[in-house]
Amino acid sequence: MVKPCKRPLRASKALVPLLALLFFFTSLSSFAQDGKALYKAKCRSCHFLDDKMSTGPGFKGVSGRHQKEWAYKWVMDNVTFAKTNPEAAATQNLTPNSMTVFAGQMSEAEVKAVVDYVWSEPGEPVVVKDGQPQNPNGSGEPVAEGINPFYLTLVIIAVLFILISALRSVRRNLQNAVNEKKGLPPMREYTWRQWAAANKRTVALLFIVVMCYGSAAGWDALMGIGVYEGYKPSQPIKFSHKIHAGDNKIACEYCHSGVLRSKVASVPSANVCMNCHKGISSGPTTGETEINKIYDAVGWNKTTQKYDRAPKPLVWNKVHVLPDFVFFSHQQHVVVGKQECKNCHGDLTTMDVAQQMKPLTMGWCIECHNKTEVPGMKENPYYADLHKKLAEKYRGKTDSLLTVARMGGIECAKCHY
C-alpha cells in the first residue's frame, strides 16, 4: 500500500512558521508605540489636530512654534519644565487648565511616538459632514482611514491558504493521473488533522499567538463599549446650536435651566422655544419648515395666534449618555466647580448639530479631576477650614494645586453609589 504522501504539504510546513512570525509581529504592532492610537487615547480629549480650541489649544502649526525636543520635555513634565524654561512657562499660562504631567503615565518612547505623529499630521478637521470627517483641503471627500495591519495579515494568510490548498489539489490530481497509468492505487490524502498531530509545536505556537492577540483585541473592544465619541444622532427638529448659542449669543442656561440647580441639565420644552418663536416664524437657513414643527408640538396656530390645536410632543434623541451607575451633577460642576460647558460638550457655538466631542470615560473624568484646581475655595467661608488643612498638607510639593482629586474627588463613592 502506498504511504500517505507528505510532499504536498512541504511548502505549507515551511510556510506555517513564517506566517506565525508574521502574525506575531503584526500583533506586536498593536502594542508598539502607535502615535495615532496614543494621541486618540491620551491627547484628543483636550487637543484637536486643527487650530480649534478645546480644553487645550489645537496642534495645527505646533511644528512651526516648537522643536520636537522641547515638546518631549513639555509633555513628560510641563510643571518642572516651566520652572527652568521661560517659553514653557509662557505656554503654561495660555489656558486656565493645567496640562497633565505624563511622566509615570507614558514612557519616553510613547511620548516621542505621539509627538512624531502630531508633527507629521497636517491637521484633523473637527467639522463633519454626513457623519464623516472632511479633508482639510475642502475637497468634500471623507478622510481615508489607514488599513489595520491585523486585518491585512488575515487577508494575506487567507490568500496563501487558498493558494496552498489549490496547488495541493492540483498536485494530488496530477499524481493520481500518473498512478492510474502505472496501475498504482490513488494517493491517500494527508489531512490537516494528521499534519497538526505531527507538528504539535507549530500548532501550539500558533495557538499562543492567536490567544494573545485575541485577548488584547477583546480587551480593546470591551474598553470601547459605551464610548460614543463623535456620536451625532438626528433630531426631530434641525436645531442649530451655532445659530442660537453662537450667532445670537443665547446663554446655555436659558434653555438648559436645570444646569444651575440640578444634576441634569434638562432638555427644554417647546414652550421655552415659544418665548422667542412666537415672534420669529422663519429661520435663516431652514425658513419656516423647522419652526412650524415647534408650533405643531405646542399646538400653536400662527394664523389665529392661539393655542387652539392638539399638541404633538417632541421626542429628542439623547446625545450624551452616562451609565445608570454613574452619578454626575451639572450643578456641582457648573456652579461650584465653575466649569464651562465646552470642557465636556465641546464648543457648541460652532455646531449646527450637537455631537459628543469627549469620550466621557472614567479615565477621562479622573484625568480632569487630577489636574483641575477647585476654584473659589479661598473666597468661600464654607471651605475655609478645609482649604487651610489641604494647603498645609501639600505645602512644599512640586505641584501644590488643590485639585479635585486632592479633595477626594476620585474616591469611588463620589460617582458610584
Side-chain angles (χ1 to χ4, degrees):
M1 181 180 290
V2 179
K3 294 182 179 180
C5 180
K6 297 185 179 182
R7 293 187 61 189
L9 285 176
R10 283 180 180 176
S12 63
K13 288 177 68 177
L15 188 61
V16 167
L18 180 62
L19 290 178
L21 288 175
L22 178 63
F23 191 88
F24 178 70
F25 286 115
T26 304
S27 302
L28 286 181
S29 69
S30 64
F31 303 102
Q33 315 313 331
D34 184 344
K36 183 176 181 180
L38 288 167
Y39 159 75
K40 289 183 176 181
K42 299 287 187 179
C43 311
R44 193 175 182 180
S45 60
C46 296
H47 302 278
F48 295 131
L49 285 177
D50 64 2
D51 56 358
K52 288 185 173 59
M53 183 75 179
S54 180
T55 305
F59 284 148
K60 186 175 182 180
V62 68
S63 58
R65 299 192 297 270
H66 305 293
Q67 297 295 322
K68 279 189 178 182
E69 291 71 18
W70 184 96
Y72 297 151
K73 296 178 181 178
W74 168 261
V75 176
M76 286 299 291
D77 190 349
N78 63 89
V79 175
T80 304
F81 188 36
K83 293 180 179 179
T84 59
N85 187 287
E87 184 182 2
T91 303
Q92 199 174 41
N93 294 328
L94 288 177
T95 61
N97 300 298
S98 59
M99 169 78 176
T100 300
V101 174
F102 284 101
Q105 299 186 36
M106 296 173 64
S107 65
E108 291 186 10
E110 289 175 326
V111 170
K112 289 183 178 181
V114 171
V115 173
D116 291 343
Y117 168 70
V118 171
W119 250 248
S120 67
E121 286 295 302
E124 179 185 32
V126 177
V127 178
V128 297
K129 181 178 180 181
D130 298 328
Q132 292 289 339
Q134 303 298 301
N135 274 317
N137 59 14
S139 64
E141 295 295 326
V143 175
E145 293 288 340
I147 299 175
N148 189 313
F150 171 66
Y151 297 120
L152 181 61
T153 302
L154 286 183
V155 171
I156 294 174
I157 291 175
V159 170
L160 290 176
F161 180 81
I162 294 172
L163 181 61
I164 291 172
S165 299
L167 293 175
R168 181 168 170 265
S169 177
V170 170
R171 191 184 189 286
R172 185 175 64 252
N173 291 336
L174 292 174
Q175 184 65 50
N176 285 337
V178 173
N179 289 350
E180 184 179 358
K181 287 185 178 181
K182 293 181 178 181
L184 298 174
M187 184 177 64
R188 195 174 72 184
E189 183 178 358
Y190 187 64
T191 65
W192 288 103
R193 181 175 296 180
Q194 291 171 317
W195 174 87
N199 297 272
K200 294 181 180 179
R201 291 184 179 180
T202 302
V203 172
L205 175 62
L206 282 172
F207 178 77
I208 292 172
V209 170
V210 171
M211 285 299 296
C212 289
Y213 191 91
S215 298
W219 175 264
D220 290 339
L222 290 173
M223 289 299 290
I225 294 175
V227 180
Y228 303 114
E229 190 174 0
Y231 176 57
K232 185 176 65 172
S234 60
Q235 301 294 354
I237 293 179
K238 294 180 180 179
F239 176 87
S240 171
H241 279 83
K242 180 179 181 297
I243 292 174
H244 291 77
D247 300 343
N248 294 319
K249 310 295 182 185
I250 298 175
C252 299
E253 57 268 21
Y254 178 79
C255 298
H256 302 283
S257 56
V259 76
L260 300 177
R261 61 178 70 93
S262 172
K263 60 177 288 188
V264 295
S266 72
V267 177
S269 67
N271 288 323
V272 174
C273 305
M274 290 298 293
N275 290 337
C276 294
H277 286 291
K278 270 188 179 180
I280 303 174
S281 59
S282 180
T285 58
T286 59
E288 298 183 354
T289 304
E290 300 304 315
I291 296 178
N292 283 340
K293 295 179 182 178
I294 300 175
Y295 297 157
D296 290 339
V298 298
W300 174 255
N301 189 326
K302 62 181 179 180
T303 302
T304 62
Q305 296 290 293
K306 294 180 179 179
Y307 293 98
D308 57 9
R309 296 188 299 171
K312 301 175 183 178
L314 297 170
V315 179
W316 297 95
N317 294 313
K318 194 172 180 62
V319 179
H320 302 85
V321 182
L322 291 179
D324 292 339
F325 55 82
V326 176
F327 173 83
F328 177 86
S329 171
H330 278 84
Q331 181 194 41
Q332 187 174 0
H333 286 77
V334 176
V335 179
V336 180
K338 302 187 185 304
Q339 294 297 304
E340 297 184 17
C341 301
K342 65 180 181 181
N343 291 348
C344 297
H345 297 292
D347 190 0
L348 285 161
T349 61
T350 64
M351 300 183 203
D352 281 314
V353 180
Q355 63 176 306
Q356 183 172 326
M357 299 298 293
K358 308 294 182 179
L360 304 184
T361 59
M362 179 176 169
W364 179 78
C365 294
I366 289 178
E367 181 183 1
C368 183
H369 284 190
N370 279 329
K371 69 181 183 181
T372 303
E373 185 175 16
V374 179
M377 286 186 64
K378 295 180 181 179
E379 297 79 16
N380 192 331
Y382 182 84
Y383 293 107
D385 187 53
L386 177 61
H387 179 269
K388 182 179 179 180
K389 290 180 180 178
L390 289 174
E392 184 63 31
K393 179 179 179 180
Y394 294 105
R395 192 183 306 279
K397 298 287 185 180
T398 303
D399 177 8
S400 59
L401 295 177
L402 298 181
T403 61
V404 179
R406 286 176 173 171
M407 292 184 63
I410 59 173
E411 294 176 1
C412 301
K414 295 291 184 181
C415 303
H416 304 290
Y417 53 93

